[in-house]
Amino acid sequence: MKFKVLFILALFICMLFLAGCGGNNAVSTNGEDDISNSDNNAVGNDSEESNNENNNGTTGENMAAEQTLLIAADQDPSGLDPHKVTAHSSIRITGKVYEGLLQFDDDMELAPQLAESWEQVDDTTYIFKLREGVKFHNGREMTAEDVKYSFDRIKDPETASIGASYFTSVEDIEILGDYEIQFHLSDAYAPFLSYIAHSSAAIVPQEVVEEHGDLNQEAVGTGPFVFEEMVPDTHVILSKNEDYYIEGQPKLDGLKYLTMIDESSRIAAVRTGQIHLTTVSPESVSLLEANVELEIINYYTLDYNYLGINTEREPFNDERVRQAISLAVDRNELINTVMGGDAQLTGPVPPSLGNWSIDVSQHEMYEHNIEKAKELLEEAGFGDGFEAEIGVPGTYRDRVADGQMIQQMLAQIGIDVTIVQLEWGDYIDAWNEGRYDMLTGRNGAGTDPDRSLNFFFHTEGSANVWGFSDEEFDELAEKGRFEVDQGTREQTYFDAQDRLLTQAPNLFLYNPQNYIVISKNVSDYMPLPHSSERFHDTYLSE
Amino acid sequence: MKEITDRLRKDKIGMAGLIGVLFIILLAFLAPVIAPYNPTEMFNQHRLERPSTQFWLGTDEFGRDILSRIIYGAQVSIMVGLIAVGIGATFGFIFGLLAGFFKGWVDNTIMRIMDVLFAFPDLLLALAIVAVLGPNLRNTMIAIGIVTIPVFTRLVRASVIAVKEMDFVLSAESIGIKTPRIILRHITPYILAPFLVQITLALSIAILAEAALSFLGLGIQPPHPSWGSMLSDARGYMELAPWIAIFPALFIILTIFCFNLLGDSLRDLLDPKLKS
Amino acid sequence: MYTYILRRLFLFIPVLFGVTVFVFLVMNIIPGDIASIILGTEATPELKEQLRQEFGLNLPLYQQYWNWISGVFVGDFGNSLRTGAPILPEMLNRFSLTFELTIFAAIISWMIAIPMGILAAVKRNTKGDIGIRFVSLLGVSIPNFALATLLILILSLFFNYYPPVGYVGFLEDPRRNLEILLIPAIVLGTSMAGSLMRMTRSSILEILGQDFIRTAQAKGISQKMVLFKHALRNAIIPVLTIIGMQIGYLLGGTIIVEQIFSLPGLGQMVLTGINQRDFPVVQGTILFIATIFVTVNLIVDILYSYLDPRISYD
């Protein structure tokens, strides 16, 4: 019954499409067809063909004729090499073009992608069975050779890939067959699989790397969308991968990411229907909520805002001083003022990561107790308070605001804080060098608690710029890293988090939400905390 | 000089400009006395409130009193203007004088350096200097000051050269009076008009430049208010809470307007060609 | 005249050389480096070292400068460190936008400022004069970013309008291109109109006060005749100075509107270059802008001597 209706509907739309000269104008606003026609002929032609296919096919719901999703991105991508890029603006592009062996599903569980299945043979050996018949966008089939090449490239120091450190324990990669590959690790490295699912563990074709020297300007992967062109500060165009291995996906003919840095412009563009999708800041949400043409989707990210403390400096090397600061900072007040009330309390592992995070709301360090804070300062010998500097990155409103709020809060316990606003490049240097007593910032906690804990706070952790070194914490964090039993691993990480909150090298302020505004005709779109978006099933309805 | 003040008194537009400028300077000086609240104090229960009897001009996103921030902001904005232009005018005067006096390689060196500075678009130069020195109030003033040096230098140099060619200077020289003394004495009336006009112009540019740097994230240190940084912070709230943006904008406009009116009048008054 | 132009062209060399050295020094003194910025929290000492090596940042300074400048001599501005894209074609592309925007904005400002300036001069010290001065100053006194945001808000809320998204060049689609640039040009144009209006007003006033005009008036020639035949032609020189400066100013002053209206112009390129410490980009673009700036100034000076025979360059 349902099928019949759908079929008739599809037929109807198809007729409309054929009858109405190209049918583009009927649906889209005048801006849109201009874009796909004038900017890129490849997309334009593709879309007409595939419209036919779509409308004849079984997927035909009430799809609009024009199926190019227009997205306003708040930042221009910086390079496209999936093994090297760290900027979100780049990853959201490479994430559509490239794929890895595994991925995270909606519930942050591991799921197959290019690997059909995987098996852990023993503590240190993993075997992946690859999907057969997957083609790169240049038409060549992807095999185990490519997987080996990609991981060799990541591990090669010449590449300077950020993934190199994720796979240091990978000792040997052995090709067992065209569609079977085995990874041998030097130790029982528990986060291995979640790094396999990381966006930087993308499978790339060797011949493309060799032809272009690097992958910064070119992108050829196996993903649902094919890279067409990138014009700096203007747009990135992706078109549908017609040979995608999942039948009927993607439904869109293409994606166009328009770089629009200014938020007031993005809001105006989405309001006037010139774009379909964009991100906005929390303070703008209330302006758009009432708009019937638009829908706001929000979700908790894997990030958290923090106040980092240089634990090597006087008097911050005294844990009581840090605890006093933690007790003096009212995180709920920060959430209310800076995030418009729409963020959640967090520890080093944000709640959005699932089971790994502990409930911090009852933690003694979160109780906002000025008296206790003063007592602790007194004990530490700073009853009269002291002066301190907080560095804040001027580019980011929220982090500047965090700094201003914390300045007021710390004044209550006699700490006289000066805010030093830093230009972004300078801020990164200051972060690396530990130049200030405290810094406000935001961390991506990653998809595995190993990253949230070891990477940022282990004595040897490469992002531990706080000079924090605590034996008890180090032991717990290391234990978790090499603990294969899931339950024990969880408990170990709980203990590690608790220890970290008590030691307070950083104050974890809140886990913010992302707000995505989409126009009502965007259907079946789902943002994901770790990769920001999935457009496999998305389509534009009429 | 008395003649000038007399004439200014008769010029209503100029007087209006002068009064406006004095009003803002007064605001800046009396800030601690007249501001109803501490400009950095956050009233958590009163975020983004409309203007009311309690907060005359409303509150911002942190619940800070906008009126108090504007009054204190006058200090910062006026200081940025005066000090930056002071730097520009002083160095510009010295360099211009030297270049005009000595001609030859001194002139050449100074003017080529000025050409280099001049070849940069203003905002870019200020941006680069602030990025090098680090964003804070002092460096903002230095950067804007440096940006205004070349204009003053050119102005003074041209006047010095013109004065040097004047008949009375040439004749004084011929009877053995040293030129530098004559020029220093005679250049003042000649240069005063364009110099003052340039100063009022530069003051407006400085205030706007501070706002532009704030917009680019290189402004003065929070939480201290300047009109420019208040306005650029308010951008995200223009629709939700327009008063946060309107009042600092009004004060910027008012100040620049008064500086310009004053400058125009001074120009008219001091330029002998315009006596009518 | 030709020797004058030649001499001026010759002077370009030290000035532009000075610009490149200045920019090079600035980029080296600015705290922060591109390797750390690219890597962010992922930075390990090895990765950073690898990137710096790749970018040639470990070479001695004079050698870095030499590598860059010797490339420029043969027309090779190098590649962006951030994206790996060659700089020169990118720069020329963006220049066409910035140049178009500049001209567009300048025309808007002339259309506002020159008639208003004349009117204000003629009606000196009347209410009309004050009104005109107030309105034209309004444009100058509002920071560009505030005016731009306000316009975007008003247009989208009350007229459901926002300029078309996605920049296209004039040659590709002239109508769309002009529509995209219209609002940004208005923002820039109004901000320039004030000073031009002032200059027009005072030059006309000055000329009107001069003897030959008075004579003309005394001879009974109508006010309009006097204004258009004598005053305007003589007032054009100081106005031209402002226009020359204006174009130079606009070329660099477009940074903010380019960012707000998402226009891929030169200004954005410089800004991103500075923010990311992408030094070949910053050096290339600033050298380019400076060259245009000094050229515009030279053209203005040459125009002077054509318009005013009293000015001679020898």
Coordinates of all heavy atoms in Angstrom, one line a residue, chain B residues 199-266:
Chain B
I199 N 44.7 67.1 13.2 CA 44.5 66.5 14.5 C 43.1 66.1 14.8 O 42.8 64.9 15.2 CB 45.1 67.4 15.6 CG1 46.6 67.4 15.6 CG2 44.5 67.0 17.0 CD1 47.2 68.3 16.6
T200 N 42.1 66.9 14.4 CA 40.8 66.5 14.7 C 40.4 65.3 13.8 O 39.7 64.4 14.3 CB 39.8 67.7 14.4 OG1 40.0 68.1 13.1 CG2 40.0 68.8 15.4
L201 N 40.9 65.3 12.6 CA 40.6 64.2 11.7 C 41.2 62.9 12.3 O 40.6 61.9 12.4 CB 41.3 64.4 10.3 CG 40.4 64.8 9.2 CD1 41.3 65.0 7.9 CD2 39.3 63.8 9.0
A202 N 42.5 63.0 12.7 CA 43.2 61.9 13.2 C 42.5 61.3 14.5 O 42.5 60.1 14.8 CB 44.6 62.2 13.5
L203 N 41.9 62.3 15.3 CA 41.3 61.8 16.5 C 40.1 60.9 16.2 O 39.9 59.8 16.8 CB 40.7 63.0 17.3 CG 41.8 63.7 18.2 CD1 41.2 65.1 18.7 CD2 42.2 62.9 19.3
S204 N 39.3 61.3 15.1 CA 38.2 60.5 14.7 C 38.7 59.1 14.2 O 38.2 58.1 14.5 CB 37.4 61.1 13.6 OG 37.4 62.5 13.7
I205 N 39.8 59.2 13.4 CA 40.3 58.0 12.8 C 40.8 57.0 13.9 O 40.5 55.8 13.9 CB 41.5 58.3 11.8 CG1 40.9 59.0 10.6 CG2 42.2 57.0 11.5 CD1 41.9 59.5 9.7
A206 N 41.4 57.6 15.0 CA 41.9 56.8 16.1 C 40.8 56.1 16.8 O 40.9 54.9 17.1 CB 42.7 57.7 17.0
I207 N 39.7 56.8 17.0 CA 38.6 56.2 17.8 C 38.0 55.1 16.9 O 37.7 54.0 17.4 CB 37.5 57.3 18.1 CG1 38.1 58.2 19.2 CG2 36.2 56.6 18.6 CD1 37.3 59.4 19.5
L208 N 37.8 55.3 15.6 CA 37.3 54.3 14.7 C 38.3 53.1 14.6 O 37.9 51.9 14.5 CB 37.0 54.8 13.4 CG 35.8 55.8 13.3 CD1 35.7 56.3 11.9 CD2 34.5 55.0 13.7
A209 N 39.6 53.4 14.6 CA 40.6 52.3 14.4 C 40.5 51.4 15.6 O 40.6 50.2 15.5 CB 42.0 52.9 14.2
E210 N 40.3 52.0 16.8 CA 40.2 51.2 18.0 C 39.1 50.3 17.9 O 39.1 49.1 18.3 CB 40.1 52.1 19.2 CG 40.3 51.4 20.6 CD 39.0 50.9 21.1 OE1 38.0 51.6 21.0 OE2 39.1 49.8 21.7
A211 N 37.9 50.8 17.4 CA 36.7 49.9 17.2 C 37.0 48.8 16.2 O 36.7 47.7 16.5 CB 35.6 50.8 16.8
A212 N 37.7 49.2 15.1 CA 38.0 48.1 14.1 C 38.9 47.1 14.7 O 38.7 45.9 14.4 CB 38.6 48.8 12.9
L213 N 39.9 47.5 15.5 CA 40.8 46.5 16.0 C 40.0 45.6 17.0 O 40.3 44.4 17.1 CB 42.0 47.2 16.7 CG 43.0 47.8 15.8 CD1 44.1 48.5 16.6 CD2 43.7 46.7 15.0
S214 N 39.1 46.2 17.8 CA 38.3 45.4 18.7 C 37.5 44.3 17.9 O 37.4 43.2 18.3 CB 37.3 46.2 19.4 OG 37.9 47.0 20.4
F215 N 37.0 44.8 16.8 CA 36.2 43.8 15.9 C 37.1 42.7 15.5 O 36.6 41.5 15.4 CB 35.6 44.6 14.7 CG 35.0 43.7 13.7 CD1 33.8 43.1 13.9 CD2 35.7 43.4 12.5 CE1 33.2 42.2 13.0 CE2 35.1 42.5 11.6 CZ 33.9 41.9 11.8
L216 N 38.3 42.9 15.2 CA 39.2 41.9 14.7 C 39.8 41.1 15.9 O 40.7 40.3 15.7 CB 40.3 42.5 13.8 CG 39.8 43.1 12.5 CD1 40.9 43.8 11.8 CD2 39.2 42.0 11.6
G217 N 39.3 41.3 17.1 CA 39.8 40.6 18.2 C 41.2 41.1 18.8 O 41.9 40.4 19.5
L218 N 41.6 42.3 18.4 CA 42.8 42.8 18.9 C 42.7 44.1 19.6 O 43.5 45.0 19.6 CB 43.8 43.1 17.7 CG 44.3 41.8 16.9 CD1 45.0 42.2 15.7 CD2 45.2 41.0 17.8
G219 N 41.6 44.2 20.3 CA 41.3 45.5 21.0 C 41.9 45.5 22.4 O 42.8 44.8 22.7
I220 N 41.4 46.4 23.3 CA 41.9 46.5 24.6 C 41.5 45.3 25.5 O 40.6 44.6 25.1 CB 41.5 47.8 25.2 CG1 40.0 47.8 25.5 CG2 41.9 49.0 24.3 CD1 39.7 48.8 26.6
Q221 N 42.1 45.2 26.6 CA 41.9 44.1 27.5 C 40.5 44.2 28.2 O 40.2 45.2 28.8 CB 42.9 44.0 28.6 CG 44.3 43.9 28.1 CD 44.6 42.6 27.3 OE1 43.7 41.8 27.2 NE2 45.7 42.6 26.6
P222 N 39.7 43.1 28.1 CA 38.5 43.1 28.9 C 38.9 42.9 30.4 O 40.0 42.5 30.6 CB 37.8 41.8 28.4 CG 38.9 40.9 27.8 CD 39.9 41.9 27.3
P223 N 38.1 43.3 31.3 CA 36.7 43.7 31.1 C 36.5 45.2 31.0 O 35.5 45.8 31.0 CB 36.0 43.3 32.5 CG 37.1 43.4 33.4 CD 38.4 43.1 32.7
H224 N 37.7 46.0 30.9 CA 37.6 47.4 30.8 C 36.9 47.8 29.5 O 37.2 47.3 28.5 CB 39.0 48.0 30.9 CG 39.7 47.6 32.1 ND1 39.3 48.0 33.4 CD2 40.7 46.7 32.4 CE1 40.0 47.5 34.3 NE2 40.9 46.7 33.7
P225 N 36.0 48.8 29.6 CA 35.2 49.2 28.5 C 35.9 50.2 27.6 O 36.5 51.1 28.1 CB 33.9 49.7 29.1 CG 34.4 50.3 30.4 CD 35.6 49.5 30.9
S226 N 35.8 50.1 26.3 CA 36.0 51.2 25.4 C 34.7 51.2 24.5 O 34.1 50.1 24.3 CB 37.2 51.0 24.6 OG 37.0 50.1 23.5
W227 N 34.4 52.3 23.9 CA 33.2 52.3 23.1 C 33.3 51.3 21.9 O 32.4 50.6 21.6 CB 32.9 53.7 22.6 CG 32.6 54.7 23.7 CD1 32.2 54.4 24.9 CD2 32.8 56.1 23.6 NE1 32.0 55.5 25.6 CE2 32.4 56.6 24.9 CE3 33.2 57.0 22.6 CZ2 32.4 58.0 25.1 CZ3 33.2 58.3 22.9 CH2 32.8 58.8 24.1
G228 N 34.5 51.3 21.4 CA 34.7 50.4 20.2 C 34.5 48.9 20.6 O 33.8 48.2 20.0
S229 N 35.1 48.5 21.8 CA 35.0 47.1 22.1 C 33.6 46.8 22.6 O 33.0 45.8 22.3 CB 36.0 46.8 23.2 OG 35.7 47.5 24.4
M230 N 32.9 47.8 23.2 CA 31.5 47.6 23.6 C 30.6 47.3 22.4 O 29.8 46.4 22.3 CB 30.9 48.8 24.4 CG 31.4 49.0 25.8 SD 30.9 50.5 26.5 CE 29.2 50.1 26.8
L231 N 30.9 48.2 21.4 CA 30.1 48.0 20.1 C 30.4 46.7 19.4 O 29.5 46.0 19.0 CB 30.3 49.2 19.2 CG 29.5 49.3 17.9 CD1 28.0 49.3 18.3 CD2 29.9 50.6 17.2
S232 N 31.6 46.4 19.4 CA 31.9 45.1 18.7 C 31.5 43.9 19.4 O 31.0 42.9 18.9 CB 33.4 45.0 18.3 OG 34.2 44.4 19.3
D233 N 31.5 44.0 20.8 CA 30.9 42.9 21.6 C 29.4 42.8 21.4 O 28.8 41.7 21.6 CB 31.2 43.0 23.1 CG 32.7 42.8 23.3 OD1 33.4 42.2 22.5 OD2 33.2 43.1 24.5
A234 N 28.8 43.9 21.1 CA 27.3 43.9 21.1 C 26.8 43.4 19.8 O 25.6 43.2 19.6 CB 26.8 45.4 21.3
R235 N 27.7 43.2 18.8 CA 27.2 42.8 17.5 C 26.3 41.6 17.5 O 25.3 41.6 16.8 CB 28.4 42.5 16.6 CG 28.7 43.5 15.6 CD 30.0 43.3 15.0 NE 30.2 41.9 14.6 CZ 29.8 41.4 13.4 NH1 29.2 42.1 12.6 NH2 30.0 40.1 13.2
G236 N 26.6 40.6 18.3 CA 25.8 39.4 18.3 C 24.4 39.7 18.9 O 23.6 38.8 18.9
Y237 N 24.3 40.8 19.6 CA 23.0 41.0 20.3 C 22.2 42.2 19.7 O 21.2 42.6 20.3 CB 23.3 41.4 21.8 CG 23.9 40.3 22.5 CD1 25.3 40.2 22.7 CD2 23.1 39.3 23.1 CE1 25.9 39.2 23.4 CE2 23.7 38.3 23.8 CZ 25.1 38.2 23.9 OH 25.7 37.2 24.6
M238 N 22.6 42.6 18.5 CA 21.9 43.7 17.9 C 20.4 43.6 17.8 O 19.6 44.5 17.9 CB 22.5 44.0 16.5 CG 23.6 45.0 16.6 SD 23.9 45.7 15.0 CE 25.4 46.6 15.2
E239 N 20.0 42.3 17.5 CA 18.6 42.1 17.4 C 17.9 41.8 18.7 O 16.8 42.3 19.0 CB 18.4 40.9 16.4 CG 17.0 40.7 16.0 CD 16.9 39.5 15.1 OE1 17.9 39.0 14.6 OE2 15.7 39.0 14.9
L240 N 18.6 41.0 19.5 CA 18.0 40.6 20.8 C 17.9 41.8 21.8 O 17.0 41.9 22.5 CB 18.9 39.5 21.4 CG 18.3 38.6 22.5 CD1 17.1 37.8 21.9 CD2 19.4 37.7 23.0
A241 N 19.0 42.5 21.9 CA 19.1 43.6 22.9 C 19.8 44.8 22.2 O 20.9 45.1 22.5 CB 19.9 43.1 24.1
P242 N 19.0 45.5 21.3 CA 19.7 46.5 20.5 C 20.3 47.7 21.4 O 21.3 48.3 20.9 CB 18.5 47.1 19.7 CG 17.3 46.5 20.2 CD 17.6 45.3 21.0
W243 N 19.8 47.9 22.6 CA 20.4 49.0 23.4 C 21.9 48.8 23.7 O 22.6 49.7 23.9 CB 19.6 49.2 24.6 CG 19.5 48.0 25.5 CD1 20.3 47.6 26.5 CD2 18.5 46.9 25.4 NE1 19.9 46.4 27.0 CE2 18.8 46.0 26.4 CE3 17.4 46.7 24.6 CZ2 18.0 44.8 26.6 CZ3 16.6 45.6 24.8 CH2 17.0 44.6 25.8
I244 N 22.3 47.5 23.7 CA 23.7 47.3 24.0 C 24.6 47.9 22.9 O 25.7 48.4 23.1 CB 24.1 45.8 24.1 CG1 23.1 45.1 25.0 CG2 25.5 45.6 24.5 CD1 23.5 43.6 25.1
A245 N 24.1 47.9 21.7 CA 24.8 48.4 20.5 C 24.6 49.9 20.3 O 25.5 50.6 20.0 CB 24.5 47.6 19.3
I246 N 23.3 50.3 20.5 CA 22.9 51.6 20.1 C 23.7 52.7 20.9 O 24.2 53.6 20.3 CB 21.4 51.8 20.3 CG1 20.7 51.1 19.2 CG2 21.0 53.3 20.3 CD1 19.2 51.0 19.4
F247 N 23.8 52.5 22.2 CA 24.4 53.6 23.0 C 25.9 53.8 22.8 O 26.3 55.0 22.5 CB 24.0 53.4 24.5 CG 22.5 53.6 24.7 CD1 21.7 52.5 25.1 CD2 21.9 54.8 24.5 CE1 20.4 52.7 25.3 CE2 20.6 55.0 24.7 CZ 19.8 53.9 25.1
P248 N 26.7 52.8 22.8 CA 28.1 53.0 22.4 C 28.2 53.6 21.0 O 29.0 54.6 20.8 CB 28.8 51.7 22.5 CG 27.8 50.7 22.8 CD 26.5 51.4 23.2
A249 N 27.4 53.2 20.1 CA 27.4 53.7 18.7 C 27.1 55.2 18.7 O 27.8 56.0 18.1 CB 26.4 52.9 17.8
L250 N 26.1 55.6 19.5 CA 25.7 57.0 19.6 C 26.8 57.8 20.1 O 27.1 58.9 19.6 CB 24.5 57.1 20.5 CG 23.1 57.0 19.9 CD1 22.0 57.2 20.9 CD2 23.0 58.0 18.7
F251 N 27.5 57.3 21.1 CA 28.6 58.1 21.7 C 29.8 58.2 20.7 O 30.4 59.3 20.6 CB 29.0 57.6 23.0 CG 28.2 58.1 24.2 CD1 26.9 57.6 24.5 CD2 28.6 59.2 24.9 CE1 26.1 58.1 25.4 CE2 27.8 59.8 25.9 CZ 26.6 59.2 26.2
I252 N 30.0 57.2 20.0 CA 31.1 57.3 19.0 C 30.7 58.3 17.9 O 31.5 59.2 17.6 CB 31.3 55.9 18.3 CG1 31.9 54.9 19.3 CG2 32.3 56.1 17.1 CD1 32.1 53.5 18.7
I253 N 29.5 58.2 17.5 CA 29.0 59.2 16.5 C 29.1 60.6 17.0 O 29.7 61.5 16.3 CB 27.6 58.8 16.0 CG1 27.6 57.5 15.3 CG2 27.0 59.9 15.1 CD1 26.2 57.0 15.0
L254 N 28.6 60.8 18.2 CA 28.6 62.1 18.8 C 30.0 62.7 18.9 O 30.3 63.8 18.5 CB 27.9 62.1 20.2 CG 27.9 63.4 20.9 CD1 26.8 64.2 20.3 CD2 27.6 63.1 22.4
T255 N 30.9 61.9 19.4 CA 32.3 62.4 19.6 C 32.9 62.7 18.2 O 33.5 63.8 18.1 CB 33.1 61.3 20.2 OG1 32.4 60.8 21.4 CG2 34.5 61.8 20.7
I256 N 32.8 61.8 17.3 CA 33.4 62.1 16.0 C 32.8 63.3 15.4 O 33.5 64.2 14.8 CB 33.4 60.9 15.1 CG1 34.2 59.8 15.7 CG2 33.8 61.2 13.7 CD1 34.2 58.5 15.0
F257 N 31.5 63.4 15.5 CA 30.8 64.6 14.9 C 31.3 65.9 15.5 O 31.6 66.8 14.8 CB 29.3 64.4 15.2 CG 28.5 65.4 14.4 CD1 28.5 65.4 13.1 CD2 27.6 66.2 15.1 CE1 27.7 66.3 12.4 CE2 26.9 67.2 14.4 CZ 26.9 67.2 13.1
C258 N 31.5 65.9 16.8 CA 31.9 67.1 17.5 C 33.4 67.4 17.1 O 33.7 68.6 16.8 CB 31.9 67.0 19.0 SG 30.2 66.9 19.6
F259 N 34.2 66.4 17.0 CA 35.6 66.7 16.6 C 35.6 67.3 15.2 O 36.4 68.2 14.9 CB 36.4 65.4 16.6 CG 37.0 65.0 17.9 CD1 36.9 63.8 18.4 CD2 37.7 66.0 18.6 CE1 37.5 63.4 19.6 CE2 38.3 65.7 19.8 CZ 38.1 64.4 20.4
N260 N 34.7 66.7 14.3 CA 34.7 67.2 13.0 C 34.2 68.7 12.9 O 34.7 69.5 12.1 CB 33.9 66.3 12.1 CG 34.7 65.1 11.6 OD1 35.6 65.3 10.8 ND2 34.4 64.0 12.1
L261 N 33.1 68.9 13.6 CA 32.6 70.3 13.6 C 33.7 71.3 14.1 O 33.9 72.3 13.4 CB 31.4 70.4 14.5 CG 30.1 69.8 14.1 CD1 29.0 70.1 15.0 CD2 29.7 70.3 12.7
L262 N 34.3 70.9 15.1 CA 35.4 71.8 15.7 C 36.5 72.0 14.7 O 37.0 73.1 14.4 CB 35.9 71.1 17.0 CG 36.9 72.0 17.8 CD1 36.2 73.2 18.3 CD2 37.4 71.2 19.0
G263 N 36.9 70.8 14.0 CA 37.9 70.9 13.1 C 37.6 71.8 11.9 O 38.4 72.7 11.5
D264 N 36.4 71.7 11.4 CA 35.9 72.5 10.3 C 36.0 74.0 10.7 O 36.4 74.8 9.9 CB 34.5 72.2 9.9 CG 34.5 70.9 9.0 OD1 35.5 70.4 8.7 OD2 33.4 70.5 8.6
S265 N 35.5 74.3 11.9 CA 35.4 75.7 12.3 C 36.8 76.2 12.4 O 37.1 77.3 12.0 CB 34.7 75.8 13.6 OG 33.3 75.5 13.4
L266 N 37.7 75.5 13.1 CA 39.0 75.9 13.3 C 39.7 76.2 11.9 O 40.4 77.2 11.7 CB 39.9 74.8 14.0 CG 39.6 74.7 15.5 CD1 40.5 73.6 16.0 CD2 40.0 76.0 16.2

